[in-house]
Amino acid sequence: MNNTALNDLDGAAVDRAYQLWAPVYDVVCGGIFEQARRSAAEAARSVGGRILEIGIGTGLSLDHYKDAGVQLHGIDLCAKMLAKAREKSRSGRYPHLKQLEVMDAHKLIYPDSYFDCTVAQFVITLVARPEQVLSECARVVRPGGEIILVNHFYSEQGFAAAVERIAARPLRKVGLRPEFPLARLEQWAEEDGRTKLIDTRKVGLLGSYTLVRFRRV
């Protein structure tokens, strides 16, 4: 198996998949990811201030930032997903939400050190160039701020790893990338030099997902 080939994702395929997911995403994925999303938002709330959520999608996490004194900015590449978030924002229940924009996380429009924290929930394994997205996060986060991720990462060994390798190719067609290892993020941080890994822990239903926190130095 060519691992190098598997480590690149077809961005157009992901976009097509999420255009199809948009109408049913909340129903299908809301409950499954709820605990992990809440954990990521709690970590971001502990940092406070101005928060950028990358891949905010349909706005499933909006409630998790309420009454925390934060200013939330949300971006997503999928206009149909973001339209669902805009519908929720019109309810008036989210005064902490300051912005919703269609934007490519590989090329953020924000100035350096603009945010106290960036959050990416179930996103980093689904972008075409994860290291570039992480580098953009490091650029827009102030020194002392954090990059917070939550995701399923490749098991790397045992039966689960074998299943994920077999499933990798067909799952890519529906916008998933099951064989992405946590070690790839750690390698980025070491090579980039602007962040320090400060926490990794299992969260969510049965500890199925991993919360990762980098601090900007």
Side-chain angles (χ1 to χ4, degrees):
M1 182 178 293
N2 187 332
N3 289 330
T4 300
L6 284 177
N7 277 343
D8 292 319
L9 199 64
D10 182 349
V14 174
D15 185 59
R16 287 193 300 270
Y18 278 90
Q19 295 288 344
L20 295 173
W21 274 108
V24 297
Y25 188 83
D26 286 11
V27 174
V28 174
C29 299
I32 296 172
F33 297 143
E34 172 68 15
Q35 293 181 30
R37 288 186 187 279
R38 189 179 298 276
S39 295
E42 286 176 355
R45 288 169 59 151
S46 73
V47 178
R50 188 184 288 139
I51 297 170
L52 173 65
E53 183 165 317
I54 293 172
I56 197 167
T58 63
L60 278 173
S61 62
L62 291 176
D63 281 309
H64 301 156
Y65 296 100
K66 288 179 68 175
D67 304 320
V70 302
Q71 300 175 37
L72 180 65
H73 298 243
I75 67 167
D76 204 287
L77 194 58
C78 180
K80 284 189 176 180
M81 296 280 276
L82 204 62
K84 296 288 186 180
R86 288 195 172 111
E87 287 179 18
K88 293 171 183 173
S89 72
R90 287 193 285 270
S91 69
R93 296 175 55 216
Y94 307 110
H96 58 287
L97 179 62
K98 303 304 179 183
Q99 179 190 36
L100 287 171
E101 294 289 342
V102 175
M103 194 182 302
D104 185 351
H106 296 88
K107 296 176 289 187
L108 298 175
I109 66 170
Y110 304 106
D112 296 356
S113 303
Y114 187 69
F115 292 100
D116 297 284
C117 177
T118 63
V119 182
Q121 302 184 20
F122 303 101
V123 168
I124 201 62
T125 63
L126 301 178
V127 295
R129 296 177 298 281
E131 289 82 4
Q132 184 175 336
V133 170
L134 289 168
S135 293
E136 277 291 271
C137 289
R139 180 183 67 80
V140 302
V141 168
R142 64 166 174 80
E146 293 191 19
I147 300 170
I148 298 171
L149 314 171
V150 67
N151 227 98
H152 168 75
F153 294 104
Y154 175 48
S155 301
E156 299 195 64
Q157 57 185 328
F159 178 74
V163 171
E164 289 165 0
R165 284 195 297 270
I166 293 169
R169 291 187 186 278
L171 285 176
R172 283 168 175 269
K173 296 178 181 179
V174 294
L176 300 176
R177 189 196 231 159
E179 80 296 354
F180 191 103
L182 176 60
R184 185 165 170 178
L185 305 184
E186 296 171 334
Q187 181 179 354
W188 165 80
E190 182 177 348
E191 293 176 356
D192 182 83
R194 289 176 292 176
T195 65
K196 179 181 179 181
L197 180 64
I198 60 171
D199 187 25
T200 61
R201 57 187 170 91
K202 294 294 184 181
V203 296
L205 185 65
L206 302 177
S208 303
Y209 311 112
T210 304
L211 180 71
V212 183
R213 299 175 71 169
F214 294 99
R215 180 167 292 142
R216 180 78 160 81
V217 296

